[in-house]
Amino acid sequence: MEVLNFTPLNNKSIRIMYSHRDPSIRKSGTANIFIKNLDKSIDNKALHDTFSSFGNILSCKIATDPNGQSKGYGFVQFDNAESAQNAIDKLNGMLINDKQVYVGHFLRKQERESVSDRTKFNNVYVKNLAESTTDDDLKKIFGEYGTITSAVIMRDADGKSKCFGFVNFENADDAAKAVEALNGAKIDDKEWYIGKAQKKYEREQELKSRFEQSAKEAVDKYQGVNLYIKNLDDSIDDGKLKEMFSEFGSITSCKVMQDPSGVSRGSGFVAFSTPEEASRALTEMNGKVVVSKPLYVAVAQRKEERRARLQAQFSQMLPVAMPPSIAPRMPMYPPGAPGIGQQLFYGQAPPAMIPQARFGYQQ
């Protein structure tokens, strides 16, 4: 039977629980549920006693203010999703201390934001307005679609219009109708953009998603035809790079990467019109010495793909621990690591990764 210590210390309960060395279960949020509308008298122990009948609890906590008073909500995480679902099915909507509680799956902030994006909205954002457009103009135009609680055009310190504003509707359906009818409308020779008013972090998240999507589309477009070249001599510019690779086929783009001061970073990209041309260039140019430097040529990859590949290679290099009874007397190295008297080349495991003391023999 699981026993938790809820001894109070400085007006806060000490919670001692079983340690789980694998943090992935806890961090994944799997089987984590959120409870709200709790009576303020319910503490950590009472919450634990209420939910413990559904399964083994990994974590149980009531959210409190700086004075240690309950905020009326808490969290319980089970060791499996089935127990969490049973608790939701049985307790959601039930009365606990004469209060009807809500019990549901816990959602992270990003997940809650994605859900909120699909919900209704009352506040509308309007931009690309003429400088002569007034608050009354907004009220008159948008008032045709429903009752407005406020309409304002943003202005600078001198009172000059910033050419955008906000209109808040009393009814969310009216706001949706206004957006559908007026977005893209041409008023005073200006094409209006109208949409849901967003908070700053929501706009940043949307812009980030758009950028990542466009970057992925660009990579997919050049999949198999875009080559990454590094170890370039500082004297090689875009023109020389294109000249070096032009014999292998039709080049659609060619660029040497530079720092802000215009100095070459020693790397670049060459994109061909077909994968066959790129493959031929890779075979012929990889390792070729140009201006006393051997080139490294490979198919260009997205950052996430490179990271996944490197992690996979690293996991393969990790040695399997051996029992002390069969531990070798001489050091053992992972595949590709240098032996005694060998030189350490780029791409091999550094000396710090050579598993020595782990095997239990004298260094």
Side-chain angles (χ1 to χ4, degrees):
M1 179 179 176
E2 183 181 18
V3 179
L4 304 187
N5 181 1
F6 287 100
T7 303
L9 178 66
N10 293 335
N11 297 324
K12 291 186 178 181
S13 297
I14 303 173
R15 298 180 300 125
I16 302 176
M17 304 182 181
Y18 290 108
S19 171
H20 288 260
R21 294 191 176 275
D22 182 7
S24 60
I25 299 176
R26 173 174 50 82
K27 292 181 178 179
S28 67
T30 303
N32 198 4
I33 61 177
F34 171 66
I35 308 99
K36 70 178 181 179
N37 202 33
L38 289 169
D39 187 83
K40 297 297 180 69
S41 64
I42 296 177
D43 57 9
N44 292 327
K45 186 176 187 307
L47 187 67
H48 176 268
D49 292 343
T50 303
F51 285 85
S52 60
S53 60
F54 297 99
N56 185 34
I57 294 176
L58 299 181
S59 177
C60 174
K61 182 180 181 181
I62 292 286
T64 57
D65 60 23
N67 297 322
Q69 298 298 314
S70 170
K71 291 183 177 180
Y73 65 91
F75 308 89
V76 175
Q77 184 169 16
F78 292 92
D79 63 356
N80 64 82
E82 184 179 356
S83 297
Q85 189 60 52
N86 287 337
I88 292 172
D89 294 340
K90 295 292 192 301
L91 294 180
N92 184 36
M94 296 292 289
L95 293 177
I96 301 179
N97 286 13
D98 297 327
K99 295 190 72 172
Q100 187 177 25
V101 298
Y102 165 83
V103 183
H105 290 288
F106 169 74
L107 296 177
R108 289 187 174 88
K109 182 179 179 181
Q110 297 88 340
E111 295 169 331
R112 294 197 300 272
E113 289 170 358
S114 64
V115 171
S116 66
D117 287 343
R118 298 190 292 270
T119 59
K120 295 182 178 181
F121 59 92
N122 295 68
N123 202 14
V124 174
Y125 169 65
V126 191
K127 75 172 182 179
N128 204 28
L129 302 172
E131 289 188 17
S132 59
T133 304
T134 65
D135 296 353
D136 290 336
D137 292 333
L138 289 185
K139 292 177 182 178
K140 181 179 178 181
I141 294 172
F142 284 89
E144 297 178 8
Y145 301 94
T147 304
I148 295 173
T149 58
S150 67
V152 61
I153 291 176
M154 307 308 293
R155 301 181 181 277
D156 59 22
D158 298 326
K160 184 178 179 181
S161 172
K162 292 184 178 180
C163 298
F164 72 89
F166 300 90
V167 178
N168 196 75
F169 284 85
E170 188 175 276
N171 188 290
D173 292 333
D174 295 338
K177 285 191 297 184
V179 170
E180 184 177 356
L182 294 176
N183 185 38
K186 201 166 186 179
I187 300 175
D188 293 334
D189 295 327
K190 294 280 188 176
E191 185 176 325
W192 283 12
Y193 166 83
I194 304 173
K196 173 190 173 185
Q198 295 177 308
K199 296 178 181 178
K200 183 179 179 181
Y201 71 87
E202 291 177 326
R203 293 196 304 273
E204 291 174 347
Q205 191 69 27
E206 182 178 336
L207 290 172
K208 181 181 178 183
S209 298
R210 288 181 183 176
F211 174 78
E212 290 176 348
Q213 181 62 28
S214 61
K216 183 179 183 300
E217 290 174 355
V219 171
D220 292 342
K221 178 181 177 181
Y222 291 103
Q223 187 66 37
V225 300
N226 196 18
L227 299 180
Y228 169 65
I229 303 97
K230 70 177 181 180
N231 209 28
L232 292 170
D233 188 81
D234 292 344
S235 63
I236 296 177
D237 56 13
D238 294 353
K240 291 182 180 179
L241 184 64
K242 185 173 183 178
E243 183 180 343
M244 288 163 47
F245 284 85
S246 59
E247 63 179 286
F248 303 104
S250 176
I251 294 175
T252 58
S253 68
C254 179
K255 181 67 178 176
V256 173
M257 306 309 293
Q258 298 176 334
D259 61 20
S261 60
V263 178
S264 170
R265 294 182 184 269
S267 61
F269 297 90
V270 176
F272 288 88
S273 59
T274 66
E276 292 75 20
E277 295 172 345
S279 178
R280 189 163 60 250
L282 189 155
T283 303
E284 295 292 333
M285 297 298 289
N286 186 37
K288 183 177 180 179
V289 177
V290 177
V291 194
S292 76
K293 284 188 175 184
L295 297 181
Y296 170 84
V297 184
V299 176
Q301 292 179 309
R302 295 177 64 228
K303 183 179 180 180
E304 293 79 4
E305 294 173 345
R306 293 198 308 273
R307 184 176 295 169
R309 178 174 56 83
L310 291 172
Q311 287 177 343
Q313 290 177 349
F314 177 76
S315 62
Q316 292 175 356
M317 292 171 61
L318 290 177
V320 179
M322 298 173 61
S325 59
I326 60 173
R329 294 293 178 183
M330 292 297 290
M332 294 183 66
Y333 300 91
I340 299 175
Q342 289 182 319
Q343 185 178 357
L344 184 66
F345 288 97
Y346 178 79
Q348 295 176 335
M353 292 176 59
I354 298 174
Q356 295 183 358
R358 183 181 297 187
F359 291 108
Y361 54 80
Q362 296 290 333
Q363 294 199 26

